[in-house]
Amino acid sequence: MTWSALEPQHYTEPSVLERERELIFDAQWVPVGLVSDLQADRDFIAAEVAGRGVVVQNFAGELRAFENVCSHRQSPLRTCGRGNGPLRCPYHGWTFDSAGVPVGIPQRRSFGDMSPSLLQQLTLDRWALEVVGPLVFVARKPRESSLRSSMGSLASELTDVLQGARRCLDRSVFELGCNWKVMLENGLDAYHVPLVHAQTIHKHGLDELAREQHGEHSVGRFAAASSARVLRALRYAYPEASLSERYTHFLLYPNTYVVSVYGLFVVVSRIDPIDASTTRFESSVFVSWDGEQGNVTLREEVNASNAAFFRNGYQEDKLICEQVQRALRYTERKALLGTEEERIAMFHQSWLRDLGRA
C-alpha cells in the first residue's frame, strides 16, 4: 500500500487545472474525433482539449489542425462539432487556406497594405495531427515529435488495437460534476467494481492478471469468468473474427482509455477537463470485424447489448465520481492506495513529473 501523491486540493483548485493545461495537455497527444467525419473536401470537426479549442479540416484530402480562433478578432472559427464548408470565420467572413493563411478578407482595402509579411503574422496557430485507425489525434506543442514515439513501448500493441477498430457502433458524450482526475483514476482500479458495477461489469467475473507500467502509460490485463459463454455467442455472430478471452485496458497518458474486449470490440474514451470540477466524457465503441457472414440478427443484438453495457457502466461511474468530488471539497485527507489501485500510483508519478512536484 502507499499514500496518494495527490492531495484533495489538487482535485478542486482552479490554479492546479491551469498548470495542467500548460504542462500536461498542451504537450500530449489526445484523440479529438473520427476520420469518418472528415472524408470529403471541406469536412471539419471541432473539439476542445482542456478548454482550448481546435478545428480539424479536410483540404482536398489533406487534414490540418488549427487553434479554433480567428486571427482577426478572436472569434471561434467553428461553432459546431462537425460539418462541411470552407474554413471561414462566422463573425467577419475571413477565410483561411490549408496553411492557415487568410486568403479571403471582405473589404480588404479598409486594412490598408496587407503585405505578405502581415498575412504571415495573421496565420492561424497550427497543431500537430496524426491519424491512427479511425481516430484523429492532435497536440498543441507535443513533447514527442510523433504519436508513436509518445506511446513508447506500447506503440506496436496500441497501434494494432486502434487500426483494428473498423466500424463505430456507438458514441456517447456527457458531462459530469467532478475533476477529470477523479473520473480517470476511477477507471484505473478494479477495486470498486464489486459495489459500483454489481449489475454490469462485476457479473462478468473479471480477474486481473497483470498491471504494467510503460513510461507514463499503463495497462491492466484481465480474463473474464464469463468468457466461454460469451465467446460462443460471438462466434455465431462473427464467425470469422479473431477472438480472445482477454480484456485489456490501456491508459494512454494523460486522459485516454483504449479498451480491447475479446479482441472484437475496441472502446476509446477521452476524459477532458472543462473546469476544476466539471469533466466532459467522450467514448466511442468500435467493432474490429466488418464481414457479412454469420447471424445478422444476433450480431445486431450483440452490438446493441455491448453499447448499452458500456453506457450503463459510465452512468454508474458518473454517480460515484460526483459523490467523491463533493467530499473532496471539505476533506484534508489523502487517499490510501492498495495493490488493486496500483495504476493510480503510476498515473500520479507522471502527473508529479509534469507539474514539477516530484
Side-chain angles (χ1 to χ4, degrees), residues 33 35 43 50 61 65 146 166 169 176 185 260 268 321 331-332 342:
V35 180
D43 277 354
S146 71
R166 300 183 183 278
L169 300 176
L176 60 161
E185 292 171 9
S260 175
V268 181
C321 287
T331 186
E332 297 180 358
E342 187 177 11

Side-chain angles (χ1 to χ4, degrees), residues 8 85 92 128 143 183 185 188 210 249 262 292-293 298 357:
H92 298 98
R143 181 183 296 127
M183 184 64 167
E185 292 171 9
L188 288 176
H249 185 286
Y262 297 121
E292 298 180 356
Q293 298 82 3
L298 177 58
R357 299 187 182 207

